Amino acid sequence: MTQPAPLAETVAAIDAHGARVQGMFTDIARGYDRANRWMSLGIDVLWRRSAVAEVLPGSCADDGSRGGVAPGSVVVEGSHAAADGPLRARILDLCAGTLDSTLELHRRYPQADIVGGDFSAGMLAVGEAKLRGAARERLVAREMDAHALPEPDAAFDAVFCAFGARNLSDLETATREQLRVLRPGGRLTVLEFFRPRGLFSRAFHACYNRTVLPVVGWAATGNLGAYLYLPRSIGAFVTIEDYCALLDRVGLQVIGQQRLFGGVAGIVRAERPRGGA
Ligand SMILES: C[S@@+](CC[C@H](N)C(=O)[O-])C[C@H]1O[C@@H](n2cnc3c(N)ncnc32)[C@H](O)[C@@H]1O
């Protein structure tokens, strides 16, 4: 059977590393979801669900559990919005890939307007094909490079990023961009395979990622190189402690860390201070 031609990227990566990563993800896009499910036995779905649970700042967003406004609505205290009815929250899912996390965000916050941003046209095309019903109205997929977001300052109540940060060419520049597009009081949530430090997580990554993962990834996508890159990118990434220090340095206030599966993955939550830079 003839494979359809890969989609052309419309957003240029900032450097050679970015261009390689972009081409790699577009190449594996059609088998990416299958590879994730096979490799993690579905655990990635549970991790995404945990990460998505507290994406909107509790002080200004109602998750519906208190019987107030609809999930994903934002009540801006003291403004006309509180009298006229709640505004809809805006969430950016950065490095959104095939929109799995974007759809999970939509399930959690059905009233929110969500942008799924990624520089791989192929990944976004696979994701867009999964959108049905209300998700088509609330979710928009947009090609963008994480180092130069095509979004105005303070445009989002929350920025979410799952398994994307590790691939970036310049983590600090991209983090400053996330800070810029968050409104004061807005929240950043990052789910990532940080470089492991504990004995269990180091042993797990060393064994599993170098054996099972490349074989299963190759079987699901036909691209062995991409799944040899994954363990390398984890080894070259920062630890969760170093990442929190970076957030602090650029002006984001870390409000929580969660280690998943003995530290194999982690979730970091941070907020843009109110009244800060
Ligand atoms: C491992 S996938 C994660 C996809 C999705 N968030 C998930 O959880 O399945 C990493 C994604 O980050 C995207 N990405 C990497 N570097 C990027 C950059 N500089 N700008 C935008 N997207 C980028 C890739 O195209 C890819 O879709």
Side-chain angles (χ1 to χ4, degrees):
M1 199 170 68
T2 323
Q3 290 287 324
L7 287 167
E9 322 287 1
T10 58
V11 167
I14 60 159
D15 61 7
H17 168 78
R20 265 197 308 277
V21 169
Q22 189 180 35
M24 185 187 82
F25 277 106
T26 287
D27 188 63
I28 64 171
R30 289 190 184 89
Y32 176 82
D33 288 345
R34 186 169 49 233
N36 273 358
R37 295 306 101 75
W38 289 359
M39 286 181 319
S40 77
L41 299 174
I43 289 176
D44 64 304
V45 177
L46 301 180
W47 286 351
R48 279 196 188 81
R49 215 164 279 163
S50 293
V52 154
E54 294 168 41
V55 156
L56 285 175
S59 56
C60 63
D62 194 316
D63 66 3
S65 60
R66 297 190 295 273
V69 297
S73 303
V74 175
V75 178
V76 184
E77 283 168 26
S79 82
H80 63 87
D84 296 350
L87 296 172
R88 284 209 296 268
R90 295 199 75 226
I91 304 174
L92 172 63
D93 180 16
L94 194 54
C95 300
T98 57
L99 306 186
D100 267 4
S101 300
T102 327
L103 280 161
E104 197 56 52
L105 285 161
H106 172 65
R107 278 189 277 275
R108 181 77 177 89
Y109 305 106
Q111 299 302 318
D113 286 322
I114 309 178
V115 177
D118 200 288
F119 69 0
S120 163
M123 292 288 273
L124 290 180
V126 170
E128 281 184 295
K130 297 192 283 195
L131 302 184
R132 304 272 181 279
R136 283 194 162 279
E137 284 160 38
R138 292 278 183 263
L139 268 57
V140 54
R142 194 170 295 157
E143 282 179 63
M144 60 179 75
D145 189 295
H147 302 90
L149 298 174
E151 302 287 346
D153 294 357
F156 293 98
D157 300 284
V159 174
F160 181 85
C161 185
F163 307 118
R166 204 180 59 243
N167 301 289
L168 299 173
S169 300
D170 184 340
L171 185 60
E172 181 159 339
T173 298
T175 306
R176 289 189 192 283
E177 275 295 89
Q178 293 156 24
L179 174 69
R180 181 183 67 74
V181 300
L182 271 176
R183 67 161 170 78
R187 184 172 291 183
L188 170 70
T189 304
V190 173
L191 167 62
E192 194 46 272
F193 291 119
F194 295 98
R195 178 148 57 84
R197 289 193 55 191
L199 196 59
F200 170 77
S201 52
R202 273 190 298 152
F204 181 89
H205 277 296
C207 299
Y208 182 86
N209 286 0
R210 281 172 203 188
T211 54
V212 180
L213 193 141
V215 175
V216 175
W218 167 75
T221 66
N223 185 328
L224 178 63
Y227 289 90
L228 291 173
Y229 159 82
L230 182 66
R232 279 203 308 273
S233 68
I234 297 170
F237 196 49
V238 292
T239 61
I240 198 166
E241 292 81 8
D242 289 345
Y243 182 63
C244 290
L246 168 70
L247 294 180
D248 187 55
R249 198 163 64 241
V250 306
L252 280 151
Q253 187 182 1
V254 176
I255 56 165
Q257 283 182 37
Q258 191 180 342
R259 279 158 215 269
L260 302 165
F261 198 54
V264 167
I267 300 172
V268 174
R269 300 181 198 282
E271 282 186 0
R272 175 174 172 173
R274 289 171 197 277

